[in-house]
Amino acid sequence: GGQGAWRDEGRSREGAVRMVRRSRRRKLPKFTTGLCGREEGLRVKRSCPSCGPEPGGEEKGRGNPISFQLFPPELVEHIISFLPVRDVVALGQTCHYFHEVCDAEGVWRRICRRLSPRLREQGSGVRPWKRAAILNYTKGLYFQAFGGRRRCLSKSVAPLLAHGYRRFLPTKDHVFILDYVGTLFFLKNALVSSTLGQIQWKRACRYVVLCRGAKDFASDPRCDTVYRKYLYVLATREQPGVVGTTGSRVCDCVEVYLQSSGQRVFKMTFHHSMSFKQIVLVGQETQRALLLLTEEGKIYSLVVNETQLDQPRSYTVQLALRKVSRCLPHLRVACMASNQSSTLYITDQGGVYFEVHTPGVYRDLFGTLQAFDPLDQQMPLALSLPAKILFCALGYNHLGLVDEFGRIFMQGNNRYGQLGTGDKMDRGEPTQVHYLQRPIALWCGLNHSLVLSQSSDFSKELLGCGCGAGGRLPGWPKGSASFVKLHVKVPLCACSLCSTRECLYMLSSHDIEHHPSYRDLPANRVVGTPEPSLGAGAPQDPGGAARACEEYLSQIHSCPTLQDRMEKMKEIVGWMPLMAAQKDFFWEALDMLQKAAGGGGSGPPTPES
């Protein structure tokens, strides 16, 4: 009887527990009715007024889910700000509601503070916080060494204080980077310890702040970084007022630093009424000319002797108006480019003017010495171009121009095929490269050229032509007379590039307010394009294209071995006016055939095979 009573008591307790659990389950839906209609927990539904509710959202027995729009906007922005930038952009493309939320300045302000905690100001522009966040998210300096065992893309150290990357310049030993708030960083090469405990030499692995308030900077304009001993920095400094006045004045100045140590050795201060925005160098070390571009588009110049800059003394230099601004006062220069013996000016209307200071470079650029005056080397020469020029690249004896329609024009010496025209004939006037359009950046070196372009899927690729010695055209050691795709992994947001004797540099930075905006070429000008060269083979000239194909076949037939024929066919694919995807297909197919033919036999293949 006692055991039966104990069993009854246990059963009653179990029944009471089950009743309590059922009552709790009944109370829980009533308590959470304002949040969701499910027992499993909170279920939030995204709905957009323009798109309507999701299909199948009103299922039987699940209640009515709520919308994200019922949450406070501050809470949604706070949650979204913790996402990576790539995910924020992707979320903003899902619907109209999330596009507005992800595009709000409050979200980008929180993201910017998370990416750059030390950034005090958001910068300028229509969307200052979004611009600042994307600048700091996409900033990076990448480099690939031409020699050594490791031929892969590496990334330099990223200064935490940098607000995006605006410009960079490699020198003999180090790299200098200017950000968007005027801070100039000094990226040093140093010996560091690897993960395996080995001591190795690394590029741009440490950084210091060289100066603040910088507008622009320049060094020796030659392609060889061995000559870049000094760094000239155009900056803004506060100067104490004159006697009898109160306060200080802001003046522009040029400060000269040793690139090896970052020590300032010289300083030139200008009158407060003169404001400059760009500086370039031209000439030899003993007669180094500094060209300064004012905000009004005028060019001033002064001459210094670099061999005496390290001597502690004070003297006055004369600042004179350049002849291009004296003879053509109506012109407003927008930007400049220079090398050791020539200078190029682009006006605000897209016109191009040239200064050439040596007869050899003049002959290479124009093919004649007829108009060269050795007694008046500063006389500007106008280039005849069909459209407005947006930007340019100036090498030692050749140059590249990009117009408002995205067309590339090359001119000058073509001994190594650095013009990319498909042959090695010099060009004394701008010649269009028909198979390349809408580049992101253009760079001209001593005897090769590089183009940074963007494909249809928004991926970047690097094309090059000219001399391939020393690995300067990765994947093409023999060089190429036409622009070919280089074996380099290009960052997604690469915007500029530079090549030295030892290394290839690419700067990554995306500014949402500054990008080249090309126009569509009018229909009546597409047909009337200039006569292409043999390597171009324009489709509107079937007779010329047929002759070009016959010439290509004869060149292939003249090659002694199968491997040589494959290499020649790769060059011909680069010459032909094909789309980038088609060229990649043919190059990959030829590589596969070449590898299969090379591994099939023991001896070298013959033309008959």
Side-chain angles (χ1 to χ4, degrees), residues 150-203:
R150 295 187 60 188
R151 296 188 179 182
C152 59
L153 201 66
S154 303
K155 187 176 181 180
S156 69
V157 62
L160 297 177
L161 299 176
H163 180 43
Y165 291 163
R166 186 158 63 98
R167 268 201 64 200
F168 79 102
L169 179 68
T171 59
K172 179 181 178 181
D173 303 314
H174 310 290
V175 181
F176 295 87
I177 292 182
L178 179 65
D179 70 352
Y180 279 84
V181 294
T183 305
L184 186 60
F185 293 91
F186 181 21
L187 273 61
K188 297 183 177 182
N189 303 337
L191 289 171
V192 296
S193 177
S194 64
T195 55
L196 301 178
Q198 300 175 351
I199 301 298
Q200 59 181 359
W201 180 260
K202 289 192 65 176
R203 296 177 182 271

Tab-separated table of all heavy atoms in Angstrom, residues 150-203:
chain	number	residue	atom	x	y	z
A	150	ARG	N	60.998	34.275	-56.243
A	150	ARG	CA	59.585	34.597	-56.019
A	150	ARG	C	59.159	35.698	-56.975
A	150	ARG	O	59.594	36.840	-56.859
A	150	ARG	CB	59.358	35.033	-54.577
A	150	ARG	CG	59.610	33.964	-53.548
A	150	ARG	CD	59.203	34.450	-52.177
A	150	ARG	NE	57.785	34.786	-52.143
A	150	ARG	CZ	57.193	35.386	-51.111
A	150	ARG	NH1	57.894	35.709	-50.046
A	150	ARG	NH2	55.917	35.656	-51.138
A	151	ARG	N	58.324	35.341	-57.935
A	151	ARG	CA	57.814	36.310	-58.893
A	151	ARG	C	56.303	36.401	-58.748
A	151	ARG	O	55.550	36.109	-59.668
A	151	ARG	CB	58.205	35.918	-60.308
A	151	ARG	CG	59.709	35.933	-60.550
A	151	ARG	CD	60.055	35.726	-62.004
A	151	ARG	NE	61.496	35.767	-62.211
A	151	ARG	CZ	62.090	35.646	-63.401
A	151	ARG	NH1	61.353	35.499	-64.480
A	151	ARG	NH2	63.396	35.677	-63.507
A	152	CYS	N	55.875	36.766	-57.556
A	152	CYS	CA	54.460	36.920	-57.274
A	152	CYS	C	54.215	38.324	-56.739
A	152	CYS	O	55.136	39.044	-56.364
A	152	CYS	CB	53.975	35.870	-56.273
A	152	CYS	SG	54.835	35.924	-54.693
A	153	LEU	N	52.956	38.698	-56.731
A	153	LEU	CA	52.575	40.025	-56.298
A	153	LEU	C	52.589	40.109	-54.776
A	153	LEU	O	52.018	39.260	-54.092
A	153	LEU	CB	51.186	40.363	-56.839
A	153	LEU	CG	50.820	41.840	-56.932
A	153	LEU	CD1	51.701	42.532	-57.956
A	153	LEU	CD2	49.354	41.991	-57.313
A	154	SER	N	53.259	41.120	-54.239
A	154	SER	CA	53.337	41.346	-52.797
A	154	SER	C	52.738	42.702	-52.465
A	154	SER	O	52.640	43.586	-53.320
A	154	SER	CB	54.789	41.281	-52.314
A	154	SER	OG	55.386	40.044	-52.661
A	155	LYS	N	52.373	42.876	-51.207
A	155	LYS	CA	51.768	44.114	-50.748
A	155	LYS	C	52.667	44.765	-49.720
A	155	LYS	O	53.218	44.099	-48.849
A	155	LYS	CB	50.383	43.856	-50.147
A	155	LYS	CG	49.615	45.126	-49.808
A	155	LYS	CD	48.223	44.805	-49.301
A	155	LYS	CE	47.450	46.093	-48.987
A	155	LYS	NZ	46.087	45.810	-48.488
A	156	SER	N	52.799	46.082	-49.837
A	156	SER	CA	53.640	46.821	-48.901
A	156	SER	C	52.903	47.056	-47.597
A	156	SER	O	51.709	46.756	-47.457
A	156	SER	CB	54.048	48.166	-49.520
A	156	SER	OG	52.918	49.019	-49.619
A	157	VAL	N	53.609	47.603	-46.644
A	157	VAL	CA	52.995	47.962	-45.381
A	157	VAL	C	52.006	49.101	-45.611
A	157	VAL	O	52.221	49.967	-46.465
A	157	VAL	CB	54.080	48.374	-44.357
A	157	VAL	CG1	54.847	49.585	-44.832
A	157	VAL	CG2	53.473	48.623	-42.989
A	158	ALA	N	50.888	49.085	-44.895
A	158	ALA	CA	49.846	50.098	-45.044
A	158	ALA	C	49.885	51.041	-43.852
A	158	ALA	O	49.576	50.633	-42.728
A	158	ALA	CB	48.472	49.441	-45.149
A	159	PRO	N	50.276	52.302	-44.048
A	159	PRO	CA	50.285	53.256	-42.926
A	159	PRO	C	48.888	53.460	-42.358
A	159	PRO	O	47.929	53.703	-43.096
A	159	PRO	CB	50.831	54.542	-43.566
A	159	PRO	CG	51.553	54.095	-44.799
A	159	PRO	CD	50.822	52.888	-45.274
A	160	LEU	N	48.766	53.347	-41.043
A	160	LEU	CA	47.463	53.502	-40.403
A	160	LEU	C	46.951	54.932	-40.502
A	160	LEU	O	45.740	55.165	-40.497
A	160	LEU	CB	47.558	53.081	-38.931
A	160	LEU	CG	47.907	51.610	-38.673
A	160	LEU	CD1	48.046	51.365	-37.177
A	160	LEU	CD2	46.874	50.689	-39.278
A	161	LEU	N	47.853	55.897	-40.574
A	161	LEU	CA	47.444	57.296	-40.620
A	161	LEU	C	47.075	57.762	-42.017
A	161	LEU	O	46.585	58.881	-42.179
A	161	LEU	CB	48.565	58.184	-40.076
A	161	LEU	CG	48.989	57.937	-38.626
A	161	LEU	CD1	50.176	58.823	-38.270
A	161	LEU	CD2	47.839	58.183	-37.679
A	162	ALA	N	47.325	56.946	-43.038
A	162	ALA	CA	47.090	57.373	-44.415
A	162	ALA	C	45.596	57.407	-44.720
A	162	ALA	O	44.860	56.472	-44.395
A	162	ALA	CB	47.805	56.448	-45.391
A	163	HIS	N	45.161	58.490	-45.341
A	163	HIS	CA	43.774	58.636	-45.781
A	163	HIS	C	43.722	58.372	-47.284
A	163	HIS	O	43.732	59.272	-48.113
A	163	HIS	CB	43.268	60.036	-45.449
A	163	HIS	CG	41.845	60.269	-45.863
A	163	HIS	ND1	40.847	59.350	-45.666
A	163	HIS	CD2	41.245	61.326	-46.473
A	163	HIS	CE1	39.716	59.827	-46.126
A	163	HIS	NE2	39.935	61.018	-46.625
A	164	GLY	N	43.692	57.096	-47.656
A	164	GLY	CA	43.739	56.742	-49.065
A	164	GLY	C	45.127	56.982	-49.642
A	164	GLY	O	46.008	57.548	-48.990
A	165	TYR	N	45.340	56.549	-50.878
A	165	TYR	CA	46.596	56.779	-51.590
A	165	TYR	C	46.292	57.598	-52.848
A	165	TYR	O	45.462	57.199	-53.663
A	165	TYR	CB	47.249	55.458	-52.001
A	165	TYR	CG	47.780	54.633	-50.855
A	165	TYR	CD1	48.073	53.285	-51.020
A	165	TYR	CD2	47.985	55.188	-49.596
A	165	TYR	CE1	48.570	52.511	-49.980
A	165	TYR	CE2	48.466	54.431	-48.550
A	165	TYR	CZ	48.753	53.091	-48.746
A	165	TYR	OH	49.237	52.341	-47.703
A	166	ARG	N	46.988	58.721	-52.976
A	166	ARG	CA	46.775	59.584	-54.147
A	166	ARG	C	47.886	59.453	-55.170
A	166	ARG	O	47.638	59.417	-56.367
A	166	ARG	CB	46.648	61.045	-53.694
A	166	ARG	CG	46.293	62.008	-54.804
A	166	ARG	CD	45.675	63.269	-54.240
A	166	ARG	NE	46.569	64.022	-53.392
A	166	ARG	CZ	47.273	65.075	-53.798
A	166	ARG	NH1	47.186	65.490	-55.042
A	166	ARG	NH2	48.055	65.724	-52.955
A	167	ARG	N	49.130	59.390	-54.715
A	167	ARG	CA	50.277	59.293	-55.617
A	167	ARG	C	51.376	58.499	-54.940
A	167	ARG	O	51.455	58.445	-53.709
A	167	ARG	CB	50.824	60.685	-55.965
A	167	ARG	CG	50.265	61.321	-57.215
A	167	ARG	CD	51.223	62.385	-57.719
A	167	ARG	NE	52.494	61.781	-58.125
A	167	ARG	CZ	53.640	62.456	-58.236
A	167	ARG	NH1	53.685	63.739	-57.950
A	167	ARG	NH2	54.738	61.845	-58.619
A	168	PHE	N	52.263	57.903	-55.733
A	168	PHE	CA	53.422	57.218	-55.173
A	168	PHE	C	54.586	57.388	-56.136
A	168	PHE	O	54.410	57.672	-57.333
A	168	PHE	CB	53.119	55.733	-54.949
A	168	PHE	CG	53.192	54.887	-56.185
A	168	PHE	CD1	54.291	54.074	-56.437
A	168	PHE	CD2	52.166	54.902	-57.121
A	168	PHE	CE1	54.367	53.300	-57.572
A	168	PHE	CE2	52.225	54.129	-58.253
A	168	PHE	CZ	53.335	53.318	-58.477
A	169	LEU	N	55.800	57.219	-55.585
A	169	LEU	CA	57.011	57.364	-56.386
A	169	LEU	C	58.105	56.496	-55.786
A	169	LEU	O	58.509	56.714	-54.644
A	169	LEU	CB	57.469	58.836	-56.427
A	169	LEU	CG	58.755	59.111	-57.214
A	169	LEU	CD1	58.520	58.886	-58.692
A	169	LEU	CD2	59.241	60.538	-56.955
A	170	PRO	N	58.583	55.496	-56.522
A	170	PRO	CA	59.732	54.721	-56.032
A	170	PRO	C	61.042	55.440	-56.326
A	170	PRO	O	61.209	56.050	-57.386
A	170	PRO	CB	59.623	53.415	-56.832
A	170	PRO	CG	58.903	53.782	-58.082
A	170	PRO	CD	58.005	54.936	-57.744
A	171	THR	N	61.946	55.404	-55.381
A	171	THR	CA	63.271	55.998	-55.553
A	171	THR	C	64.323	54.894	-55.515
A	171	THR	O	64.003	53.717	-55.672
A	171	THR	CB	63.535	57.045	-54.467
A	171	THR	OG1	63.434	56.428	-53.179
A	171	THR	CG2	62.529	58.183	-54.554
A	172	LYS	N	65.559	55.285	-55.293
A	172	LYS	CA	66.652	54.322	-55.348
A	172	LYS	C	66.506	53.234	-54.287
A	172	LYS	O	66.720	52.049	-54.566
A	172	LYS	CB	67.988	55.044	-55.165
A	172	LYS	CG	69.207	54.144	-55.176
A	172	LYS	CD	70.473	54.935	-54.959
A	172	LYS	CE	71.690	54.021	-54.913
A	172	LYS	NZ	72.946	54.781	-54.674
A	173	ASP	N	66.128	53.610	-53.071
A	173	ASP	CA	66.073	52.656	-51.964
A	173	ASP	C	64.682	52.476	-51.371
A	173	ASP	O	64.434	51.455	-50.711
A	173	ASP	CB	67.025	53.090	-50.844
A	173	ASP	CG	68.456	53.244	-51.337
A	173	ASP	OD1	68.916	52.339	-52.050
A	173	ASP	OD2	69.090	54.266	-51.019
A	174	HIS	N	63.779	53.432	-51.571
A	174	HIS	CA	62.523	53.409	-50.839
A	174	HIS	C	61.372	53.823	-51.749
A	174	HIS	O	61.552	54.058	-52.944
A	174	HIS	CB	62.605	54.319	-49.612
A	174	HIS	CG	63.822	54.084	-48.769
A	174	HIS	ND1	64.000	52.946	-48.023
A	174	HIS	CD2	64.941	54.842	-48.569
A	174	HIS	CE1	65.172	53.006	-47.402
A	174	HIS	NE2	65.752	54.146	-47.720
A	175	VAL	N	60.175	53.950	-51.146
A	175	VAL	CA	58.963	54.361	-51.857
A	175	VAL	C	58.296	55.463	-51.039
A	175	VAL	O	58.219	55.378	-49.812
A	175	VAL	CB	57.990	53.184	-52.055
A	175	VAL	CG1	56.757	53.637	-52.826
A	175	VAL	CG2	58.677	52.043	-52.805
A	176	PHE	N	57.784	56.478	-51.729
A	176	PHE	CA	57.086	57.587	-51.088
A	176	PHE	C	55.636	57.592	-51.571
A	176	PHE	O	55.364	57.437	-52.766
A	176	PHE	CB	57.763	58.917	-51.413
A	176	PHE	CG	59.152	59.036	-50.855
A	176	PHE	CD1	60.243	58.566	-51.578
A	176	PHE	CD2	59.372	59.599	-49.614
A	176	PHE	CE1	61.529	58.665	-51.067
A	176	PHE	CE2	60.655	59.701	-49.096
A	176	PHE	CZ	61.726	59.237	-49.820
A	177	ILE	N	54.716	57.810	-50.603
A	177	ILE	CA	53.280	57.784	-50.903
A	177	ILE	C	52.642	59.046	-50.323
A	177	ILE	O	52.892	59.410	-49.166
A	177	ILE	CB	52.605	56.534	-50.321
A	177	ILE	CG1	53.087	55.277	-51.051
A	177	ILE	CG2	51.094	56.628	-50.450
A	177	ILE	CD1	52.432	54.003	-50.569
A	178	LEU	N	51.790	59.689	-51.124
A	178	LEU	CA	51.046	60.869	-50.701
A	178	LEU	C	49.575	60.503	-50.587
A	178	LEU	O	49.000	59.917	-51.502
A	178	LEU	CB	51.236	62.003	-51.724
A	178	LEU	CG	50.507	63.313	-51.445
A	178	LEU	CD1	51.033	63.976	-50.170
A	178	LEU	CD2	50.645	64.265	-52.632
A	179	ASP	N	48.952	60.849	-49.442
A	179	ASP	CA	47.538	60.540	-49.255
A	179	ASP	C	46.682	61.750	-49.595
A	179	ASP	O	47.175	62.782	-50.057
A	179	ASP	CB	47.278	60.038	-47.836
A	179	ASP	CG	47.417	61.130	-46.793
A	179	ASP	OD1	47.862	62.242	-47.152
A	179	ASP	OD2	47.087	60.874	-45.623
A	180	TYR	N	45.378	61.650	-49.344
A	180	TYR	CA	44.433	62.675	-49.780
A	180	TYR	C	44.332	63.859	-48.819
A	180	TYR	O	43.613	64.812	-49.126
A	180	TYR	CB	43.048	62.052	-49.966
A	180	TYR	CG	42.893	61.339	-51.290
A	180	TYR	CD1	43.323	60.034	-51.459
A	180	TYR	CD2	42.320	61.977	-52.385
A	180	TYR	CE1	43.187	59.376	-52.673
A	180	TYR	CE2	42.182	61.331	-53.597
A	180	TYR	CZ	42.611	60.035	-53.734
A	180	TYR	OH	42.474	59.389	-54.938
A	181	VAL	N	44.992	63.817	-47.692
A	181	VAL	CA	44.982	64.966	-46.778
A	181	VAL	C	46.341	65.653	-46.747
A	181	VAL	O	46.569	66.518	-45.908
A	181	VAL	CB	44.556	64.542	-45.361
A	181	VAL	CG1	43.120	64.092	-45.349
A	181	VAL	CG2	45.465	63.461	-44.810
A	182	GLY	N	47.247	65.274	-47.648
A	182	GLY	CA	48.522	65.958	-47.753
A	182	GLY	C	49.624	65.400	-46.880
A	182	GLY	O	50.625	66.090	-46.665
A	183	THR	N	49.500	64.183	-46.384
A	183	THR	CA	50.561	63.561	-45.594
A	183	THR	C	51.427	62.705	-46.506
A	183	THR	O	50.907	61.846	-47.229
A	183	THR	CB	49.974	62.703	-44.468
A	183	THR	OG1	49.079	63.507	-43.677
A	183	THR	CG2	51.075	62.169	-43.570
A	184	LEU	N	52.725	62.934	-46.467
A	184	LEU	CA	53.675	62.205	-47.294
A	184	LEU	C	54.360	61.150	-46.433
A	184	LEU	O	54.982	61.482	-45.414
A	184	LEU	CB	54.704	63.159	-47.905
A	184	LEU	CG	55.686	62.557	-48.915
A	184	LEU	CD1	54.948	61.969	-50.107
A	184	LEU	CD2	56.675	63.624	-49.385
A	185	PHE	N	54.247	59.898	-46.842
A	185	PHE	CA	54.787	58.768	-46.081
A	185	PHE	C	56.050	58.246	-46.754
A	185	PHE	O	56.169	58.242	-47.975
A	185	PHE	CB	53.755	57.652	-45.962
A	185	PHE	CG	52.559	58.015	-45.136
A	185	PHE	CD1	51.437	58.581	-45.728
A	185	PHE	CD2	52.551	57.820	-43.768
A	185	PHE	CE1	50.338	58.919	-44.976
A	185	PHE	CE2	51.458	58.161	-43.006
A	185	PHE	CZ	50.348	58.716	-43.604
A	186	PHE	N	56.942	57.784	-45.915
A	186	PHE	CA	58.261	57.295	-46.315
A	186	PHE	C	58.291	55.802	-46.031
A	186	PHE	O	58.427	55.382	-44.895
A	186	PHE	CB	59.314	58.077	-45.502
A	186	PHE	CG	60.731	57.723	-45.815
A	186	PHE	CD1	61.094	57.128	-46.996
A	186	PHE	CD2	61.727	58.011	-44.894
A	186	PHE	CE1	62.415	56.826	-47.268
A	186	PHE	CE2	63.048	57.715	-45.147
A	186	PHE	CZ	63.387	57.107	-46.343
A	187	LEU	N	58.104	54.966	-47.058
A	187	LEU	CA	58.084	53.517	-46.911
A	187	LEU	C	59.495	52.980	-47.146
A	187	LEU	O	60.057	53.130	-48.227
A	187	LEU	CB	57.114	52.874	-47.897
A	187	LEU	CG	55.647	52.758	-47.444
A	187	LEU	CD1	55.054	54.126	-47.186
A	187	LEU	CD2	54.836	52.006	-48.470
A	188	LYS	N	60.061	52.359	-46.107
A	188	LYS	CA	61.462	51.949	-46.149
A	188	LYS	C	61.597	50.465	-46.475
A	188	LYS	O	60.777	49.645	-46.075
A	188	LYS	CB	62.129	52.219	-44.790
A	188	LYS	CG	62.179	53.678	-44.388
A	188	LYS	CD	62.914	53.842	-43.062
A	188	LYS	CE	63.029	55.299	-42.673
A	188	LYS	NZ	63.784	55.465	-41.404
A	189	ASN	N	62.681	50.159	-47.191
A	189	ASN	CA	63.113	48.775	-47.346
A	189	ASN	C	64.009	48.430	-46.157
A	189	ASN	O	64.813	49.244	-45.712
A	189	ASN	CB	63.876	48.576	-48.648
A	189	ASN	CG	63.066	48.993	-49.862
A	189	ASN	OD1	61.842	49.025	-49.810
A	189	ASN	ND2	63.734	49.310	-50.947
A	190	ALA	N	63.879	47.209	-45.656
A	190	ALA	CA	64.633	46.857	-44.454
A	190	ALA	C	64.841	45.358	-44.395
A	190	ALA	O	64.192	44.569	-45.101
A	190	ALA	CB	63.906	47.343	-43.194
A	191	LEU	N	65.755	44.966	-43.519
A	191	LEU	CA	65.989	43.559	-43.226
A	191	LEU	C	65.046	43.141	-42.105
A	191	LEU	O	65.037	43.750	-41.035
A	191	LEU	CB	67.443	43.330	-42.806
A	191	LEU	CG	68.497	43.470	-43.902
A	191	LEU	CD1	69.890	43.427	-43.294
A	191	LEU	CD2	68.350	42.375	-44.939
A	192	VAL	N	64.257	42.097	-42.354
A	192	VAL	CA	63.295	41.631	-41.359
A	192	VAL	C	63.475	40.129	-41.187
A	192	VAL	O	64.080	39.452	-42.021
A	192	VAL	CB	61.844	41.961	-41.781
A	192	VAL	CG1	61.630	43.454	-41.854
A	192	VAL	CG2	61.512	41.303	-43.113
A	193	SER	N	62.917	39.610	-40.112
A	193	SER	CA	62.984	38.186	-39.824
A	193	SER	C	61.725	37.514	-40.343
A	193	SER	O	60.602	37.961	-40.077
A	193	SER	CB	63.116	37.960	-38.315
A	193	SER	OG	63.112	36.591	-38.011
A	194	SER	N	61.901	36.425	-41.097
A	194	SER	CA	60.773	35.711	-41.668
A	194	SER	C	60.178	34.766	-40.628
A	194	SER	O	60.664	34.636	-39.507
A	194	SER	CB	61.220	34.932	-42.904
A	194	SER	OG	62.162	33.939	-42.543
A	195	THR	N	59.115	34.058	-41.010
A	195	THR	CA	58.457	33.116	-40.099
A	195	THR	C	59.341	31.918	-39.780
A	195	THR	O	59.188	31.295	-38.732
A	195	THR	CB	57.146	32.627	-40.731
A	195	THR	OG1	57.434	32.082	-42.030
A	195	THR	CG2	56.161	33.775	-40.887
A	196	LEU	N	60.283	31.612	-40.668
A	196	LEU	CA	61.198	30.500	-40.431
A	196	LEU	C	62.455	30.915	-39.681
A	196	LEU	O	63.371	30.114	-39.514
A	196	LEU	CB	61.587	29.850	-41.770
A	196	LEU	CG	60.430	29.297	-42.606
A	196	LEU	CD1	60.949	28.745	-43.915
A	196	LEU	CD2	59.675	28.220	-41.832
A	197	GLY	N	62.510	32.171	-39.250
A	197	GLY	CA	63.669	32.645	-38.521
A	197	GLY	C	64.806	33.137	-39.382
A	197	GLY	O	65.882	33.425	-38.866
A	198	GLN	N	64.590	33.255	-40.694
A	198	GLN	CA	65.634	33.722	-41.593
A	198	GLN	C	65.542	35.232	-41.764
A	198	GLN	O	64.465	35.813	-41.747
A	198	GLN	CB	65.518	33.031	-42.955
A	198	GLN	CG	65.658	31.513	-42.882
A	198	GLN	CD	65.429	30.858	-44.226
A	198	GLN	OE1	65.006	31.510	-45.178
A	198	GLN	NE2	65.710	29.568	-44.315
A	199	ILE	N	66.690	35.857	-41.945
A	199	ILE	CA	66.756	37.295	-42.186
A	199	ILE	C	66.682	37.518	-43.694
A	199	ILE	O	67.469	36.958	-44.459
A	199	ILE	CB	68.054	37.896	-41.611
A	199	ILE	CG1	68.130	37.626	-40.105
A	199	ILE	CG2	68.110	39.381	-41.893
A	199	ILE	CD1	67.016	38.262	-39.312
A	200	GLN	N	65.709	38.322	-44.122
A	200	GLN	CA	65.548	38.584	-45.542
A	200	GLN	C	65.273	40.064	-45.762
A	200	GLN	O	64.806	40.772	-44.872
A	200	GLN	CB	64.409	37.745	-46.118
A	200	GLN	CG	63.052	37.998	-45.467
A	200	GLN	CD	61.964	37.126	-46.044
A	200	GLN	OE1	62.205	36.336	-46.945
A	200	GLN	NE2	60.753	37.261	-45.524
A	201	TRP	N	65.572	40.506	-46.983
A	201	TRP	CA	65.390	41.905	-47.374
A	201	TRP	C	63.997	42.065	-47.963
A	201	TRP	O	63.617	41.379	-48.912
A	201	TRP	CB	66.458	42.288	-48.395
A	201	TRP	CG	66.374	43.707	-48.867
A	201	TRP	CD1	65.825	44.156	-50.014
A	201	TRP	CD2	66.861	44.858	-48.182
A	201	TRP	NE1	65.938	45.522	-50.105
A	201	TRP	CE2	66.570	45.981	-48.990
A	201	TRP	CE3	67.514	45.062	-46.972
A	201	TRP	CZ2	66.921	47.268	-48.636
A	201	TRP	CZ3	67.848	46.359	-46.611
A	201	TRP	CH2	67.561	47.440	-47.436
A	202	LYS	N	63.212	42.987	-47.397
A	202	LYS	CA	61.848	43.200	-47.861
A	202	LYS	C	61.671	44.643	-48.288
A	202	LYS	O	62.245	45.568	-47.703
A	202	LYS	CB	60.836	42.875	-46.758
A	202	LYS	CG	60.719	41.394	-46.442
A	202	LYS	CD	59.510	41.111	-45.576
A	202	LYS	CE	58.226	41.411	-46.293
A	202	LYS	NZ	57.036	41.038	-45.492
A	203	ARG	N	60.845	44.826	-49.315
A	203	ARG	CA	60.549	46.158	-49.831
A	203	ARG	C	59.370	46.768	-49.091
A	203	ARG	O	58.373	46.091	-48.824
A	203	ARG	CB	60.216	46.091	-51.334
A	203	ARG	CG	61.344	45.636	-52.218
A	203	ARG	CD	60.875	45.529	-53.661
A	203	ARG	NE	61.938	45.049	-54.520
A	203	ARG	CZ	62.819	45.823	-55.136
A	203	ARG	NH1	62.751	47.121	-54.969
A	203	ARG	NH2	63.752	45.317	-55.907
